[in-house]
Coordinates of all heavy atoms in Angstrom, one line a residue:
R27 N 0.8 -1.2 0.0 CA 0.0 0.0 0.0 C 0.9 1.3 0.0 O 1.9 1.3 0.7 CB -0.9 0.0 1.2 CG -2.2 -0.8 1.0 CD -3.0 -1.0 2.3 NE -2.2 -1.7 3.3 CZ -2.1 -1.3 4.6 NH1 -2.6 -0.2 5.0 NH2 -1.4 -2.0 5.4
S28 N 0.4 2.3 -0.7 CA 1.2 3.5 -0.8 C 0.8 4.4 0.3 O -0.2 4.2 1.0 CB 0.8 4.2 -2.2 OG -0.5 4.7 -2.1
P29 N 1.5 5.5 0.5 CA 1.1 6.5 1.5 C -0.3 7.1 1.2 O -1.1 7.3 2.1 CB 2.1 7.6 1.3 CG 3.3 7.0 0.8 CD 2.8 5.9 -0.1
F30 N -0.6 7.1 -0.1 CA -1.9 7.7 -0.5 C -3.1 6.7 -0.2 O -4.2 7.2 0.1 CB -1.9 8.1 -2.0 CG -0.5 8.7 -2.3 CD1 0.3 8.2 -3.3 CD2 -0.1 9.9 -1.6 CE1 1.5 8.8 -3.6 CE2 1.1 10.4 -1.9 CZ 2.0 9.9 -2.9
D31 N -2.8 5.4 -0.3 CA -3.8 4.4 0.1 C -4.1 4.7 1.6 O -5.2 4.6 2.0 CB -3.3 3.0 -0.1 CG -3.2 2.6 -1.5 OD1 -4.1 3.1 -2.3 OD2 -2.3 1.8 -1.9
R32 N -3.0 4.8 2.4 CA -3.2 4.9 3.9 C -4.0 6.2 4.2 O -4.8 6.2 5.1 CB -1.9 4.9 4.6 CG -1.1 3.6 4.4 CD 0.1 3.5 5.3 NE 1.1 4.5 5.0 CZ 2.1 4.3 4.1 NH1 2.2 3.1 3.5 NH2 3.0 5.2 3.9
M33 N -3.6 7.3 3.5 CA -4.3 8.6 3.8 C -5.8 8.5 3.4 O -6.7 9.0 4.1 CB -3.6 9.7 3.0 CG -2.2 10.0 3.5 SD -1.5 11.4 2.6 CE 0.2 10.9 2.6
R34 N -6.1 7.9 2.3 CA -7.5 7.7 1.9 C -8.3 6.8 2.8 O -9.4 7.0 3.2 CB -7.6 7.2 0.5 CG -7.1 8.1 -0.6 CD -7.2 7.5 -2.0 NE -6.7 8.5 -3.0 CZ -5.6 8.3 -3.7 NH1 -4.8 7.3 -3.4 NH2 -5.2 9.2 -4.6
E35 N -7.6 5.7 3.3 CA -8.2 4.8 4.2 C -8.5 5.5 5.5 O -9.5 5.2 6.2 CB -7.4 3.6 4.5 CG -8.1 2.4 5.1 CD -7.5 2.0 6.5 OE1 -6.3 1.9 6.6 OE2 -8.3 1.9 7.4
A36 N -7.7 6.5 5.9 CA -7.9 7.3 7.1 C -9.1 8.3 6.9 O -9.5 8.9 7.9 CB -6.7 8.0 7.5
G37 N -9.6 8.4 5.7 CA -10.7 9.3 5.4 C -10.3 10.6 4.8 O -11.2 11.5 4.7
F38 N -9.0 10.8 4.5 CA -8.6 12.1 3.9 C -9.1 12.2 2.4 O -8.9 11.2 1.7 CB -7.1 12.3 4.0 CG -6.7 13.6 3.4 CD1 -7.0 14.8 4.1 CD2 -6.0 13.7 2.2 CE1 -6.6 16.0 3.6 CE2 -5.6 15.0 1.7 CZ -5.9 16.1 2.4
R39 N -9.7 13.3 2.0 CA -10.3 13.4 0.7 C -9.6 14.4 -0.2 O -10.1 14.6 -1.3 CB -11.8 13.9 0.8 CG -12.7 12.9 1.7 CD -12.8 11.6 1.0 NE -13.9 10.8 1.6 CZ -13.7 9.9 2.6 NH1 -12.5 9.8 3.1 NH2 -14.7 9.2 3.1
G40 N -8.5 14.9 0.2 CA -7.8 15.9 -0.6 C -7.2 15.3 -1.8 O -7.0 14.1 -2.0
C41 N -6.8 16.2 -2.8 CA -6.2 15.8 -4.0 C -4.6 15.8 -3.9 O -4.0 15.1 -4.6 CB -6.6 16.7 -5.1 SG -8.3 16.4 -5.7
A42 N -4.1 16.8 -3.2 CA -2.6 16.9 -3.0 C -2.2 16.2 -1.8 O -2.7 16.4 -0.7 CB -2.2 18.4 -3.0
M43 N -1.2 15.2 -1.9 CA -0.7 14.5 -0.8 C 0.8 14.3 -0.9 O 1.3 14.2 -2.0 CB -1.4 13.1 -0.7 CG -2.9 13.2 -0.3 SD -3.7 11.5 -0.4 CE -4.1 11.5 -2.2
G44 N 1.5 14.3 0.2 CA 2.9 14.0 0.2 C 3.3 13.4 1.5 O 2.5 13.4 2.5
E45 N 4.4 12.8 1.5 CA 4.9 12.1 2.8 C 6.4 12.3 2.9 O 7.2 12.1 2.0 CB 4.6 10.6 2.7 CG 5.1 9.8 4.0 CD 4.6 8.4 4.0 OE1 3.5 8.2 4.5 OE2 5.3 7.5 3.5
N46 N 6.9 12.6 4.1 CA 8.3 12.5 4.5 C 8.4 11.5 5.6 O 7.5 11.4 6.5 CB 8.7 13.9 5.1 CG 9.0 14.9 4.1 OD1 9.0 14.7 2.9 ND2 9.1 16.2 4.6
I47 N 9.4 10.7 5.6 CA 9.7 9.7 6.7 C 11.2 9.8 7.1 O 12.0 10.3 6.3 CB 9.4 8.3 6.3 CG1 10.2 7.8 5.1 CG2 7.9 8.1 6.0 CD1 10.0 6.3 4.8
A48 N 11.5 9.5 8.3 CA 12.9 9.5 8.8 C 12.9 8.5 10.0 O 11.9 8.2 10.6 CB 13.3 10.9 9.2
A49 N 14.1 8.1 10.3 CA 14.3 7.2 11.5 C 15.7 7.5 12.1 O 16.6 7.8 11.4 CB 14.2 5.8 11.1
G50 N 15.7 7.5 13.4 CA 17.0 7.6 14.2 C 17.2 8.9 14.8 O 18.0 9.1 15.7
Q51 N 16.5 10.0 14.4 CA 16.7 11.3 15.0 C 16.0 11.4 16.3 O 14.9 11.0 16.5 CB 16.1 12.4 14.1 CG 16.8 12.5 12.7 CD 16.4 11.5 11.7 OE1 15.5 10.7 12.0 NE2 16.9 11.6 10.5
P52 N 16.7 11.9 17.4 CA 16.2 11.8 18.7 C 15.2 12.9 19.1 O 14.4 12.8 20.1 CB 17.4 11.9 19.6 CG 18.4 12.7 18.8 CD 18.1 12.3 17.3
T53 N 15.1 14.0 18.3 CA 14.3 15.1 18.7 C 13.6 15.7 17.5 O 14.1 15.6 16.4 CB 15.1 16.3 19.4 OG1 16.0 16.8 18.4 CG2 15.9 15.7 20.6
P54 N 12.5 16.5 17.7 CA 11.9 17.2 16.6 C 12.8 18.1 15.9 O 12.8 18.2 14.6 CB 10.7 17.9 17.3 CG 10.4 17.1 18.5 CD 11.7 16.6 19.0
R55 N 13.6 18.8 16.6 CA 14.6 19.7 15.9 C 15.6 19.0 15.0 O 15.8 19.4 13.9 CB 15.4 20.5 17.0 CG 16.4 21.4 16.5 CD 15.9 22.6 15.7 NE 15.1 23.5 16.6 CZ 14.6 24.6 16.3 NH1 14.6 25.0 15.0 NH2 13.9 25.4 17.1
S56 N 16.1 17.9 15.5 CA 17.1 17.1 14.7 C 16.4 16.6 13.4 O 17.0 16.6 12.3 CB 17.7 16.0 15.5 OG 16.8 15.1 15.9
V57 N 15.2 16.0 13.5 CA 14.6 15.5 12.3 C 14.2 16.6 11.3 O 14.4 16.5 10.1 CB 13.4 14.6 12.6 CG1 12.1 15.4 13.0 CG2 13.0 13.7 11.5
M58 N 13.8 17.8 11.8 CA 13.5 18.9 11.0 C 14.7 19.4 10.3 O 14.7 19.7 9.1 CB 12.8 20.0 11.8 CG 11.3 19.7 12.1 SD 10.3 19.6 10.6 CE 10.5 21.3 9.9
D59 N 15.8 19.5 11.0 CA 17.1 19.9 10.4 C 17.5 19.0 9.2 O 17.9 19.4 8.2 CB 18.2 19.9 11.4 CG 18.1 21.1 12.4 OD1 17.3 22.0 12.1 OD2 18.8 21.1 13.5
D60 N 17.3 17.7 9.4 CA 17.7 16.7 8.4 C 16.7 16.9 7.2 O 17.2 16.8 6.0 CB 17.6 15.3 8.9 CG 18.9 14.9 9.8 OD1 19.8 15.7 9.7 OD2 18.8 13.9 10.4
W61 N 15.4 17.0 7.5 CA 14.5 17.1 6.3 C 14.8 18.4 5.5 O 14.7 18.4 4.3 CB 13.1 17.1 6.9 CG 12.5 15.8 7.1 CD1 12.8 14.6 6.4 CD2 11.5 15.4 8.0 NE1 12.0 13.6 6.9 CE2 11.2 14.0 7.9 CE3 10.7 16.1 9.0 CZ2 10.3 13.4 8.6 CZ3 9.8 15.5 9.7 CH2 9.6 14.1 9.6
L62 N 15.1 19.5 6.2 CA 15.3 20.8 5.6 C 16.6 20.8 4.7 O 16.7 21.5 3.8 CB 15.3 21.9 6.6 CG 13.9 22.3 7.1 CD1 14.1 23.2 8.3 CD2 13.1 23.0 6.0
Q63 N 17.5 19.9 5.1 CA 18.8 19.8 4.3 C 18.7 18.8 3.1 O 19.6 18.7 2.3 CB 19.9 19.4 5.3 CG 20.3 20.4 6.3 CD 21.2 19.9 7.4 OE1 21.9 18.9 7.2 NE2 21.2 20.6 8.5
S64 N 17.5 18.2 3.0 CA 17.3 17.2 1.9 C 16.3 17.9 0.9 O 15.2 18.2 1.3 CB 16.7 15.9 2.5 OG 16.2 15.1 1.4

C-alpha cells in the first residue's frame, strides 16, 4: 500500500498528498534539520 492508500483509508479526501519519513533522529529539531537539508 502507498502513502496515498493509507491517507484515503484514514478518510482524507484531498487531491494533493505528500509524505516525509525518517528514522533515528532523537528530537523534533534534529529530524526537521535533516529534512530541511534534503
Side-chain angles (χ1 to χ4, degrees):
R27 279 172 295 133
S28 73
F30 319 121
D31 288 327
R32 295 189 297 268
M33 293 181 215
R34 293 181 180 107
E35 195 240 312
F38 183 69
R39 301 296 193 268
C41 284
M43 290 175 276
E45 178 173 273
N46 285 345
I47 63 176
Q51 296 82 358
T53 65
R55 176 70 66 177
S56 62
V57 75
M58 282 295 299
D59 286 345
D60 283 348
W61 277 331
L62 285 167
Q63 292 170 20
S64 170

